[in-house]
Amino acid sequence: MLLARLFKTAIKKCQEAKTQTRQSKTTLAIQTTRMQDSSFTADSTGLSTNIEDNAESTPEPPTEPESIAEHPIQRCNQDILSTIFEWFTCDHMTHRNRRAAQLTMVCRRWRQVALQTPELWRRFDIGLGYPLPTIRKQWDWLVSMRPAAPDDIRVDCIQPGYPDQPALIYLWSQCGISTLERITHLEFVLLRSSTAAGIAHPSIALPNTRIDRLWVDSHEYPGRSTTHTPWEVDQLLETFPRVRYIKLLRQSCFSFRPGNAFLHTTFLHITNCVNVSICAGLSSFVNLERLWIQATTISEASASSTTTIRMPSLKWLCIYRATNFPWTKLDCPSLQVLTGEESVSDAIIQFLQQHPHVRDIDVQVDKQMFATFARTVPHVETLDLGGYIEGLAEWQTATDLVEPPFPNIRRLILDRTEEEIGLDLFESIVKTYCLLSISTTTTATTPPSIPPSQPQAHSIGESNPRKRAVDCLCVFGTTESFKTAKWAQSPLLAGCVRTSRTYSHLEPWLCLELRWPESSQSH
């Protein structure tokens, strides 16, 4: 989200200063190179080629600026350059300070702008293994660069023998970390997941510091490790009790003790973890609003021994490839969003029947489960559907449904790449969900879109059995493929307003949003 905000800000400012930035490059060059010779020699075959002798047949290389001072990016004003610098360093999760320091070495102006941009110096990289006085000097220098102390702290514990609690105690006290009122991001990067218990210790506790994000990562995937040391997340939360968002990445053998009450945590994110026992302790997060579990194996003992898991404040549940997840034992009265592209099963059907208030769903469904799923969630308003999307068009013959499924849907996302969606299927979905009726004059000059082998939602000129059209139909794809997709040439797209939305976790894919004006929906 921060990247998106910085990038949007940069674009907005660049639009206001088009005359200054039109010729600027979008990537940052640390050093500018220029061609110094007018010829080159190819020695690999013993042949020598001279550019001057072939000037007529060989295009001239693009003209490069003579120095960094003449580079077009230097015409950007300081505000725009600062925003680009912020985006450039924010995109680098590790050693952000090192990248910011590189900007100061390009030229005098860049150094001046970088030193006057406090956001570049908010990250404090602690590389355990370096001399502690050296790390302390880095902290003092960062404090001199900002009106406030750095609030983004990354502790690198990948050296053997770390995390070292005496070293952390020294840095916590000497750098004043223990007195900070707020840390926006605190991250521990471990060599192995078996050392995670080393950071859950009272000696480095921050009882009065509000922590917006706490990440515990490991360089080693737990599935490849032969050493697994059980540890309790409760100890970590007792060490950092005021954490809002906790992310456990590439960890193993951790558990939650039941009976505790963690009042401050609102977001729990577990990804790429194995053999975890979390089910019994999920009820301890009484104010948890988001629970994301991705590519994680839950221990069978934890899943089977758990009774009802009550999560009264949970609003967003994201489950993706979470083995042994206890669907039927969850009680989430406030749940609104279910995502993760899980394949619809009997357990998920039972979960959805117990939670009829869920309005936003992202799932994969096969042909056998399509009708059951459609009858279970007639109230859904946003549906990201993968798998058997043909059911949206074939509901009359392939299912026992008596009307088009999902009557209250407002936003429909076809979770397939644009090349996998045929013209006939696309037009049938558009007619059923986006247009209330199709007039004879609109399609009389075009051949029938749906062959006899495929059912047609309604004939030309017939009213759509749906009572209302969806607000938005979405398709995933890339910019170039959207231009060549067969369905993109459909006459039903006439008058359609097209916009695109990017998602950082789906790059380089885009989500193409299609909206029909009300005048087009009625005829």
Side-chain angles (χ1 to χ4, degrees):
M1 296 298 294
L2 179 60
L3 269 178
R5 289 196 298 269
L6 291 175
F7 184 72
K8 289 180 180 179
T9 303
I11 293 298
K12 181 178 179 180
K13 292 184 178 180
C14 285
Q15 289 176 344
E16 295 174 352
K18 284 183 178 180
T19 57
Q20 299 180 17
T21 62
R22 185 170 297 173
Q23 299 178 2
S24 297
K25 296 182 179 180
T26 57
T27 56
L28 297 177
I30 302 302
Q31 294 180 347
T32 302
T33 61
R34 59 189 178 92
M35 185 171 294
Q36 299 178 349
D37 299 319
S38 60
S39 62
F40 68 93
T41 304
D43 297 327
S44 59
T45 60
L47 299 178
S48 178
T49 305
N50 192 287
I51 290 181
E52 295 179 352
D53 296 338
N54 298 277
E56 297 182 358
S57 59
T58 305
E60 295 184 359
T63 303
E64 296 287 346
E66 291 297 324
S67 66
I68 188 62
E70 299 178 2
H71 198 283
I73 200 172
Q74 296 290 31
R75 290 195 285 271
C76 293
N77 60 40
Q78 181 168 335
D79 291 340
I80 295 176
L81 203 57
S82 294
T83 303
I84 296 176
F85 285 178
E86 292 174 18
W87 172 80
F88 178 70
T89 56
C90 183
D91 189 45
H92 202 64
M93 293 303 296
T94 60
H95 301 293
R96 180 176 173 180
N97 289 342
R98 183 181 302 173
R99 210 173 197 193
Q102 289 175 340
L103 294 173
T104 65
M105 303 177 186
V106 177
C107 65
R108 182 178 301 175
R109 181 168 184 258
W110 281 31
R111 177 178 177 82
Q112 180 183 7
V113 173
L115 295 179
Q116 295 177 358
T117 307
E119 290 298 310
L120 297 184
W121 315 104
R122 65 183 306 171
R123 162 68 70 86
F124 181 35
D125 285 309
I126 301 176
L128 293 182
Y130 287 94
L132 296 181
T134 301
I135 301 176
R136 167 62 192 275
K137 289 181 180 179
Q138 179 191 4
W139 171 269
D140 293 339
W141 188 82
L142 291 173
V143 170
S144 68
M145 298 300 300
R146 288 172 49 84
D151 57 359
D152 185 345
I153 301 174
R154 182 178 185 272
V155 184
D156 196 332
C157 309
I158 64 174
Q159 298 295 329
Y162 291 97
D164 181 18
Q165 291 169 0
L168 291 176
I169 295 173
Y170 172 87
L171 295 173
W172 257 226
S173 61
Q174 293 297 315
C175 298
I177 296 177
S178 57
T179 62
L180 294 178
E181 296 182 359
R182 179 183 179 186
I183 298 176
T184 59
H185 183 85
L186 176 61
E187 180 177 0
F188 292 91
V189 183
L190 310 174
L191 179 62
R192 296 181 180 87
S193 59
S194 58
T195 62
I199 61 175
H201 196 273
S203 61
I204 60 172
L206 299 175
N208 301 316
T209 303
R210 171 183 170 181
I211 302 175
D212 294 343
R213 296 187 303 272
L214 172 62
W215 289 12
V216 181
D217 193 1
S218 172
H219 270 210
E220 180 184 54
Y221 278 92
R224 303 173 184 173
S225 176
T226 58
T227 303
H228 298 287
T229 303
W231 62 287
E232 294 181 345
V233 179
D234 304 69
Q235 297 176 352
L236 184 66
L237 292 173
E238 291 169 0
T239 304
F240 309 105
R242 299 187 63 192
V243 61
R244 300 297 183 92
Y245 166 26
I246 178 171
K247 181 177 181 179
L248 304 175
L249 176 63
R250 291 188 283 266
Q251 301 300 313
S252 64
C253 295
F254 61 81
S255 60
F256 294 103
R257 291 194 309 263
N260 291 328
F262 304 114
L263 303 179
H264 295 279
T265 304
T266 59
F267 191 170
L268 176 60
H269 189 179
I270 302 173
T271 181
N272 288 106
C273 298
V274 299
N275 195 24
V276 299
S277 302
I278 61 173
C279 300
L282 288 178
S283 297
S284 301
F285 296 89
V286 294
N287 294 317
L288 195 69
E289 298 179 358
R290 295 187 182 188
L291 174 61
W292 291 10
I293 303 179
Q294 300 166 315
T296 293
T297 303
I298 301 172
S299 67
E300 294 184 7
S302 173
S304 60
S305 63
T306 303
T307 57
T308 301
I309 303 173
R310 180 165 177 77
M311 309 182 75
S313 302
L314 191 67
K315 298 178 181 179
W316 187 345
L317 178 63
C318 177
I319 304 298
Y320 172 71
R321 291 169 50 197
T323 307
N324 301 325
F325 185 76
W327 286 101
T328 59
K329 299 179 180 180
L330 289 182
D331 181 14
C332 314
S334 302
L335 190 65
Q336 301 173 2
V337 181
L338 173 63
T339 60
E341 297 185 353
E342 282 288 272
S343 296
V344 174
S345 61
D346 292 335
I348 293 180
I349 292 295
Q350 182 178 344
F351 172 81
L352 291 172
Q353 290 172 344
Q354 296 171 349
H355 298 82
H357 41 271
V358 177
R359 294 292 186 268
D360 188 335
I361 299 177
D362 172 16
V363 292
Q364 298 280 326
V365 61
D366 58 24
K367 186 174 183 179
Q368 288 70 29
M369 297 295 296
F370 183 86
T372 303
F373 173 68
R375 284 192 294 268
T376 304
V377 291
H379 50 273
V380 65
E381 296 180 357
T382 298
L383 177 61
D384 187 337
L385 185 65
Y388 183 61
I389 66 173
E390 287 81 1
L392 298 170
E394 299 175 356
W395 61 271
Q396 288 178 309
T397 58
T399 69
D400 57 355
L401 300 174
V402 297
E403 62 180 8
F406 319 115
N408 295 307
I409 195 168
R410 304 178 66 88
R411 179 181 173 88
L412 176 60
I413 304 172
L414 306 180
D415 197 352
R416 283 192 191 176
T417 61
E418 71 299 332
E419 297 177 352
E420 295 176 337
I421 301 176
L423 176 63
D424 297 335
L425 175 61
F426 177 78
E427 289 192 336
S428 182
I429 294 174
V430 169
K431 291 176 182 179
T432 303
Y433 288 91
C434 304
L435 304 176
L436 294 181
S437 64
I438 306 294
S439 65
T440 304
T441 57
T442 302
T443 57
T445 58
T446 60
S449 300
I450 304 176
S453 60
Q454 297 188 15
Q456 188 168 354
H458 51 85
S459 60
I460 295 178
E462 181 184 353
S463 297
N464 191 322
R466 284 178 53 86
K467 296 181 180 180
R468 65 179 305 277
V470 299
D471 297 335
C472 180
L473 177 66
C474 305
V475 183
F476 284 111
T478 60
T479 303
E480 291 301 321
S481 55
F482 280 138
K483 299 177 182 178
T484 59
K486 294 181 179 179
W487 55 262
Q489 310 303 322
S490 172
L492 297 182
L493 292 176
C496 174
V497 178
R498 310 184 192 191
T499 57
S500 61
R501 177 179 298 183
T502 59
Y503 296 90
S504 57
H505 64 290
L506 292 177
E507 292 182 356
W509 280 21
L510 303 173
C511 180
L512 179 64
E513 300 179 342
L514 306 173
R515 292 179 174 84
W516 281 262
E518 294 184 3
S519 58
S520 300
Q521 294 176 355
S522 59
H523 58 277

